[in-house]
Amino acid sequence: MQKKFRARFFVSAIFFLAALLLFSSCQSAKKSRPQNLRLLFAGDIMAHTQNFGMKDYNAIWDDIRDLVAQADYSYANLEAPVDKSRPFESYPTFNMKPAYPQAAIDAGFNLISLANNHSNDMGTEGVKATALWAKGIEARNQNSSQAQNAANQNSSQAQNAARPVYFSGITEGGQMSLRQFYWREYKIVFIAVTELLNTWKDYEQINYVAPTKKGRAAFVKKIADIKRTLEPDLFIVSVHTSEDEYVLTVLDSVKKFYNQLLDAGADILVSNHPHVIRPVEYIGNKEDKKIRKVIMYANGNTISGQRRALNYDDPGEIWNYTGDGQLVSLELALDEKGFFALHCSTSYITAYTPQGERSPVIKRLDENFVQTLAQNGLHKDSEYYKARLAALKKIKEIYTWR
C-alpha cells in the first residue's frame, strides 16, 4: 500500500512539475517575445493612363500586400492630387479618383506624403479636394486611431485596433502639416515636404521648402524646433527634392542637406523625385555598431506607367529603371538611447503587365519571378527581368559609422 502511494505521489509530482514548467515557459516566452517596431518605405505611387484603365485597382498590390500590411507603418509618396469631381488625368498634369489611392491604403499603406511637384497640378481646387479626401480618410479612422494609441500606450491590445492612416504635405492653418502619433508609449512624428512644384499658383497650400541655401537652412531649423518642442522618440521626414530625374547618383549638396536634417533631429529621411532607385545609407555608432539613422536617397516608382515597353535590346538603359522600385523594411528595437535598426532589408519590385492585359501590376523582382517567367515559356521576358534584377543589385547599400 505504501509503495502504491509513493508511486502515485511520484507520478503526480512529475505531472505537477511538468505543468509548472510549461506554464513558466509560456510566461517566459510571452515576456521575452520581441515587440519591435516594423516600418516599410516604398516610393512613388503614380497613375498613368494604363494604370487607371484597369478594372480592379486592388490587383496592383496583391503580390506585395503581405509585406506592406505586416509593417506597423508603411510609407509611400502619392504623386497626384485626388479630386473625385475631375476625371483621371495622366502626364503632364495628373489627377486620381479616390478608388485608386484607396486600393493602396487597403493594401496597408498608412504613412502617405502629399507633397511633390504634382501636388497642385489641378490648381487650388485640386489641393482643397485632396485635403478634404485625406481628412475624410483620417476622420474615418479617428476612433480607431484613438483606440490604437490608447492600446499602444497600454501595449497589448494594439492588434485589435484598426489600422490608422496619416497624411502630411498640405498646409493647415497656414502652417506645414505634420502628424504625431504613438507606437506603444513612444511618440512618432511624420512630416512631408517638397522643394518642387509644377505651378507656383497658391504654392503656400503645400508644405514647400525653397531649394536654396536660405530655404534649406530654414527647414533645418524647423526640424530642430519640432524635435525640441515635440520631443519625438522617432522622427520621419519625407523630402521631394529639387534634383534631376532619372539619375542614379546623388548630388553632394543634397547629401549635405540630408545630413543637416539628421543632425537637427530627423531619424529617418526618405527622398523622392528621381523615379529610379538609389542607395540606402545606414548611419550608426562606430563603437556599438548600432544603426540610429537612415537615409533613403530614392526608392523609385512603386507603381507607374512610365516604362511603357520593355527594352529587350538594352535593359540597362536608364528609362528601364522607371519600371522598378524598392521596398525598404526596417525592424527597430529599443535600448537606453532609443530606437536602433535591428534588421534592415531591401526587396526589389517591378511593374509587370501580364499576358493579355494592358495594365501593369506589382511583382516582386527576384530569382523566383525570373524562373517562373521562363517556366511559362516567356524566355524573352525572363532574360529582360534577369538583367533588370542584376542592374538593381549593383546599387549597393552604404554603411557610415561615426
Side-chain angles (χ1 to χ4, degrees), residues 306-348:
Q306 282 192 292
R307 183 177 61 190
R308 294 179 181 273
L310 306 185
N311 189 340
Y312 296 110
D313 295 328
D314 188 8
E317 187 268 331
I318 192 65
W319 195 254
N320 292 275
Y321 285 83
T322 64
D324 304 324
Q326 63 187 6
L327 303 177
V328 179
S329 297
L330 305 175
E331 183 181 348
L332 304 185
L334 284 156
D335 63 12
E336 67 282 355
K337 294 181 180 179
F339 284 105
F340 67 94
L342 186 65
H343 296 294
C344 314
S345 63
T346 299
S347 303
Y348 300 116

Side-chain angles (χ1 to χ4, degrees), residues 139-179:
R140 199 157 61 229
N141 289 276
Q142 184 175 17
N143 292 335
S144 296
S145 299
Q146 290 172 350
Q148 176 97 44
N149 288 339
N152 280 339
Q153 291 183 70
N154 296 321
S155 77
S156 61
Q157 298 178 4
Q159 291 181 351
N160 298 323
R163 193 175 180 87
V165 183
Y166 303 101
F167 297 89
S168 175
I170 296 176
T171 58
E172 297 171 343
Q175 301 295 319
M176 282 188 178
S177 65
L178 58 80
R179 291 293 179 265

Side-chain angles (χ1 to χ4, degrees), residues 220-244:
V220 169
K221 182 179 182 302
K222 184 170 186 64
I223 292 300
D225 290 343
I226 294 171
K227 178 70 173 180
R228 185 181 66 257
T229 56
L230 297 184
E231 298 183 329
D233 298 289
L234 185 69
F235 198 170
I236 301 170
V237 178
S238 168
V239 182
H240 205 80
T241 312
S242 177
E243 52 187 333
D244 290 337

Side-chain angles (χ1 to χ4, degrees), residues 13-225:
I14 289 175
F15 276 109
F16 175 77
L17 289 172
L20 182 62
L21 287 171
L22 180 62
F23 176 78
S24 298
S25 64
C26 289
Q27 290 295 100
S28 176
K30 186 175 181 181
K31 288 180 181 178
S32 63
R33 185 182 301 155
Q35 296 186 28
N36 296 329
L37 175 60
R38 295 165 300 174
L39 306 175
L40 180 138
F41 293 86
D44 301 324
I45 295 176
M46 306 188 74
H48 295 83
T49 303
Q50 57 268 52
N51 300 115
F52 57 67
M54 67 191 305
K55 292 181 180 179
D56 181 11
Y57 301 131
N58 292 295
I60 293 171
W61 306 101
D62 284 346
D63 203 45
I64 63 167
R65 192 178 299 273
D66 59 334
L67 285 175
V68 177
Q70 73 185 7
D72 296 292
Y73 302 101
S74 291
Y75 162 93
N77 170 56
L78 192 60
E79 190 107 355
V82 182
D83 188 344
K84 66 180 181 180
S85 70
R86 300 171 186 255
F88 277 104
E89 291 196 32
S90 185
Y91 182 82
T93 53
F94 290 92
N95 184 59
M96 297 177 184
K97 283 184 172 292
Y100 190 84
Q102 184 62 52
I105 292 170
D106 291 343
F109 285 101
N110 59 347
L111 283 186
I112 299 176
S113 165
L114 299 174
N116 51 72
N117 56 303
H118 292 287
S119 295
N120 58 353
D121 277 3
M122 294 292 105
T124 302
E125 294 307 312
V127 176
K128 290 180 178 178
T130 305
L132 187 64
W133 167 77
K135 287 179 180 178
I137 298 289
E138 290 183 330
R140 199 157 61 229
N141 289 276
Q142 184 175 17
N143 292 335
S144 296
S145 299
Q146 290 172 350
Q148 176 97 44
N149 288 339
N152 280 339
Q153 291 183 70
N154 296 321
S155 77
S156 61
Q157 298 178 4
Q159 291 181 351
N160 298 323
R163 193 175 180 87
V165 183
Y166 303 101
F167 297 89
S168 175
I170 296 176
T171 58
E172 297 171 343
Q175 301 295 319
M176 282 188 178
S177 65
L178 58 80
R179 291 293 179 265
Q180 56 178 318
F181 47 94
Y182 288 87
W183 174 79
R184 292 163 58 183
E185 68 270 28
Y186 301 97
K187 184 189 292 185
I188 301 174
V189 168
F190 167 58
I191 186 170
V193 303
T194 182
E195 293 188 315
L196 293 167
L197 290 168
N198 289 343
T199 173
W200 295 107
K201 185 178 181 181
D202 297 325
Y203 72 92
E204 66 276 3
Q205 295 185 78
I206 310 298
N207 284 6
Y208 173 71
V209 173
T212 61
K213 185 176 181 180
K214 182 178 179 181
R216 288 179 171 177
F219 185 58
V220 169
K221 182 179 182 302
K222 184 170 186 64
I223 292 300
D225 290 343

